[in-house]
């Protein structure tokens, strides 16, 4: 019996560079695949153009004009600066101490949580001038605030339960606030600098009562309940130490409302023989958050652009499943996870490098149009592309387009259906944004916290300060999460979808 010798076949070795035969080669193959299918670059280009055009059209339909005079704070921000002030001059260093014994709403409707009664050191009587104040509030305890945007919590005791002793001390360029419940043991709230103070400043007692509005929205419509904007603060044990050119306290309405206008009642100040001061006033000392969000208004085209990026991410993978070409891909590259990673990387690079110029151009054109329609400084700062929040919104919007495309790709791997994938992503990302305009506010804000639509918060240009009560309405461009936290929700959804897609390609047949 003759034995035929066995011939050993050497294993296949690619002639390509290892990087090209590995993940680098997959990236190149997927990149080439994308540009070979003519419909995909067309969808990408149309999506970019539509994003820019809708940004411009949205801006052209918006205008602003009239309204009250704008007050600008030390940092260039628009502020509210109106209150009842019983004051005198202080030259050099000095201290003011007082006890706040009561704070009540004049109409009996109830105090707003940020109604304020306390003591203040202010550079001048001019609205928007630097200041520091220590105050008692009915809803947030004792606070130290300065230059409108800064707020620091003090002891949280309730003014309704115990009077609050307050003290404000000037020493050079520093202002230090103190609080006490008995006038003996003092808690230091903080030492702050408010900028360049003149040698002579205004010090004294103040009361500010912002109008607080409560918005209720149901399926039948929206209702608004406004609380009173005038309150009375009661003070005693007023003590002043320092040099002053005044012999007595002078009462002034800083930022007095226009006669005959809304909330036009002047403030009052009375002093009893026992030295009890009653100040009745209105207004607020805080950032003004009532202006439209010009930055957010410049990105209306991104909402429509998401539809094209959703379709692009979906077709990039479901087309191969539909035509059976995915079997060829997995045969050529048995490591399916590398194939998924290459597809996700390529679609992310393509959508981001296209989306970033689109959002930058869209913002620039929309900003120019809004400027011509009345959105001008100082109420609406002239932001360049390299300044926050504009730069954050531009890059964040490009990331929003990118993440949605990758999310669509991952969902497409799981569902293997173009129609089902597009519908799923639209329901997750776009539908909650639409529903938030109609649902009751608690439900709307819940949707914008737990769904990928939270990522639209990255386009917010207005800073919402915690020391200002405001109604966060989705139709006004306000979101319950901060810009980066909102984007993080979409990142989490995308990561979860990719993990599910990874599990799917390893478990299922091609």
């Amino acid at each position: 019996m003759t034995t035929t010798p066995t011939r050993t076949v050497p294993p296949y070795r690619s002639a390509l560079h290892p990087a090209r035969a590995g993940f680098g080669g997959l990236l190149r193959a997927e990149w080439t695949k994308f540009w070979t299918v003519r419909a995909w670059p067309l969808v990408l280009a149309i999506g970019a153009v539509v994003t820019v055009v809708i940004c411009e059209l949205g801006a052209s339909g918006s205008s602003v004009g009239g309204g009250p005079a704008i007050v600008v704070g030390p940092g260039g921000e628009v502020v509210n600066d109106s209150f009842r002030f019983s004051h005198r001059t202080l030259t050099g260093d000095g201290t003011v101490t007082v006890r706040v014994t009561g704070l009540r709403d004049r109409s009996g409707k109830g105090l707003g949580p940020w109604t304020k009664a306390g003591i203040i050191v202010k550079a001048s009587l001019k609205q928007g001038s630097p200041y520091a104040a220590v105050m008692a509030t009915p809803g947030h305890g004792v606070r130290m605030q300065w230059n409108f945007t800064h707020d620091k919590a003090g002891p949280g005791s309730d003014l309704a339960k115990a009077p609050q002793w307050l003290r404000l001390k000037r020493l050079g360029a520093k202002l230090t606030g103190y609080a006490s419940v008995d006038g003996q043991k003092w808690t230091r709230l903080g030492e702050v600098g408010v900028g360049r103070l003149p040698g002579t400043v205004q010090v004294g007692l103040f009361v500010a009562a912002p109008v607080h509005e409560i918005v209720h929205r149901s399926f039948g419509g929206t209702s608004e309940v406004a609380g009173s904007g005038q309150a009375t603060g009661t003070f005693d044990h007023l003590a002043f130490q320092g040099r002053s050119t005044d012999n007595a306290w002078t009462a002034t309405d800083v930022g007095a409302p226009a006669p005959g206008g809304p909330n036009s009642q002047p403030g009052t100040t009375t002093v009893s023989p026992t030295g009890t001061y009653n100040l009745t006033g209105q207004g607020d000392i805080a950032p003004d958050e009532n202006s439209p969000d010009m930055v957010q208004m410049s990105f209306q085209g991104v909402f429509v652009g998401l539809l094209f990026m959703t379709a692009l991410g979906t077709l990039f993978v479901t087309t191969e499943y539909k035509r059976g070409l995915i079997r060829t891909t997995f045969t050529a590259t048995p490591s399916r996870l590398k194939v998924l990673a290459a597809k996700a990387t390529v679609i992310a690079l393509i959508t981001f490098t296209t989306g970033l110029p689109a959002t930058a151009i869209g913002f620039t054109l929309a900003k120019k149009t809004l400027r011509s329609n009345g959105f001008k400084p100082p109420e609406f700062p002239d932001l360049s592309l390299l300044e926050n929040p504009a730069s954050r919104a531009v890059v964040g919007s490009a990331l929003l387009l990118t993440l949605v495309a990758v999310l669509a790709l991952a969902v497409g791997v799981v569902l293997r259906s173009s129609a089902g994938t597009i519908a799923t992503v639209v329901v997750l990302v776009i539908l909650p944004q639409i529903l938030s305009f109609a649902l009751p506010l608690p439900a709307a804000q819940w949707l914008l916290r737990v769904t990928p639509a939270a990522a639209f918060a990255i386009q917010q240009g207005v800073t919402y300060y915690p020391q200002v009560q405001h109604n966060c309405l989705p139709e006004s461009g306000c979101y319950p999460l901060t810009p980066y936290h909102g984007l993080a929700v979409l990142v989490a959804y995308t990561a979860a979808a990719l993990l599910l897609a990874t599990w799917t390609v390893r478990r299922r047949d091609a």
Side-chain angles (χ1 to χ4, degrees):
M1 181 176 179
T2 305
T3 302
T4 304
T6 302
R7 184 179 179 183
T8 302
V9 180
Y12 168 77
R13 295 183 182 276
S14 173
L16 297 174
H17 187 275
R20 293 184 179 178
F23 189 67
L26 282 175
L27 288 177
R28 183 178 179 182
E30 294 297 331
W31 182 270
T32 303
K33 188 184 301 180
F34 179 87
W35 296 107
T36 301
V37 181
R38 295 180 179 180
W40 297 345
L42 182 61
V43 172
L44 181 67
I46 293 176
V49 172
V50 167
T51 299
V52 174
V53 171
I54 299 298
C55 285
E56 172 66 11
L57 291 177
S60 64
S62 303
S63 62
V64 68
I70 301 301
V71 179
V72 179
E77 64 284 330
V78 179
V79 300
N80 291 312
D81 193 12
S82 58
F83 55 97
R84 184 64 176 176
F85 194 16
S86 185
H87 60 95
R88 68 192 303 173
T89 60
L90 169 64
T91 302
D93 300 335
T95 304
V96 181
T97 304
V98 77
R99 185 176 71 164
V100 184
T101 60
L103 187 57
R104 66 183 186 277
D105 178 71
R106 185 175 182 180
S107 65
K109 295 181 179 179
L111 291 168
W114 282 109
T115 304
K116 306 164 184 177
I119 51 180
I120 187 171
V121 172
K122 193 167 174 62
S124 70
L125 297 178
K126 180 182 177 182
Q127 288 183 284
S129 60
Y131 78 94
V134 180
M135 65 198 69
T137 70
H140 301 280
V142 174
R143 320 291 295 192
M144 183 173 183
Q145 296 181 354
W146 63 101
N147 285 3
F148 304 96
T149 59
H150 302 282
D151 170 76
K152 186 174 183 180
S157 48
D158 189 350
L159 180 62
K161 296 179 180 179
Q164 299 295 321
W165 289 78
L166 307 175
R167 176 174 291 169
L168 194 54
K169 180 179 180 180
R170 179 190 183 183
L171 183 61
K174 297 296 182 180
L175 296 169
T176 307
Y178 302 88
S180 172
V181 294
D182 57 9
Q184 300 297 321
K185 185 178 180 181
W186 292 88
T187 299
R188 185 174 181 269
L189 303 179
E191 180 183 86
V192 300
V194 297
R196 193 171 181 179
L197 285 175
T200 299
V201 296
Q202 297 289 333
V203 302
L205 314 177
F206 80 96
V207 167
V211 176
H212 55 287
E213 298 175 341
I214 303 174
V215 175
H216 297 283
R217 190 168 68 193
S218 62
F219 293 105
T222 301
S223 63
E224 183 176 295
V225 179
S228 173
Q230 196 167 50
T232 298
T234 305
F235 308 80
D236 61 14
H237 293 282
L238 175 61
F240 171 81
Q241 295 177 342
R243 292 186 295 120
S244 177
T245 58
D246 300 325
N247 296 323
W249 299 91
T250 302
T252 302
D253 280 323
V254 174
N263 298 318
S264 60
Q265 291 179 312
T268 61
T269 300
T270 62
V271 186
S272 72
T274 59
T276 298
Y277 288 75
N278 289 282
L279 274 65
T280 300
Q282 57 193 11
D284 199 7
I285 313 173
D288 185 350
E289 297 181 347
N290 294 320
S291 299
D293 190 341
M294 178 181 169
V295 173
Q296 192 269 343
M297 293 167 61
S298 302
F299 292 97
Q300 297 181 52
V302 174
F303 189 79
V304 180
L306 285 176
L307 296 173
F308 291 88
M309 300 309 168
T310 298
L312 189 66
T314 299
L315 296 175
F316 192 49
V317 67
T318 57
T319 300
E320 289 194 60
Y321 276 108
K322 181 179 180 180
R323 297 179 179 178
L325 297 176
I326 196 70
R327 297 188 185 92
T328 305
T329 301
F330 287 156
T331 301
T333 308
S335 178
R336 298 184 176 187
L337 298 187
K338 287 185 177 180
V339 173
L340 177 60
K343 285 183 175 293
T345 301
V346 168
I347 201 66
L349 289 174
I350 289 173
T351 51
F352 183 76
T353 54
T354 304
L356 185 59
T359 56
I361 294 171
F363 171 77
T364 302
L365 295 177
K367 183 185 73 170
K368 183 178 179 181
T369 300
L370 289 172
R371 284 275 173 269
S372 63
N373 290 349
F375 293 82
K376 298 179 180 180
E379 184 176 4
F380 303 97
D382 191 9
L383 300 171
S384 72
L385 285 174
L386 301 180
E387 293 179 275
N388 273 328
S391 59
R392 182 251 297 154
V394 167
V395 176
S397 295
L399 286 172
L400 174 58
L401 294 170
T402 301
L403 289 168
V404 169
V406 176
L407 174 64
L409 181 141
V411 175
V413 171
V414 176
L415 300 182
R416 301 185 181 185
S417 164
S418 298
T421 299
I422 293 175
T424 299
V425 176
V426 167
V427 168
L428 286 174
V429 181
I430 297 177
L431 185 60
Q433 178 78 349
I434 298 174
L435 291 176
S436 68
F437 296 164
L439 290 175
L441 281 179
Q445 293 181 351
W446 179 82
L447 273 180
L448 295 179
R449 287 179 181 273
V450 302
T451 66
F456 284 102
I458 199 67
Q459 298 173 347
Q460 281 186 166
V462 174
T463 300
Y464 294 98
Y465 294 92
Q467 69 268 29
V468 181
Q469 185 184 19
H470 65 277
N471 296 298
C472 189
L473 303 177
E475 57 267 33
S476 300
C478 178
Y479 292 83
L481 296 179
T482 64
Y484 292 111
H485 287 161
L487 188 66
V489 174
L490 177 57
V491 171
Y493 269 87
T494 304
L498 285 172
L499 289 175
L500 183 60
T502 299
W503 181 85
T504 301
V505 296
R506 295 181 65 180
R507 295 281 180 172
R508 289 182 183 175
D509 291 333

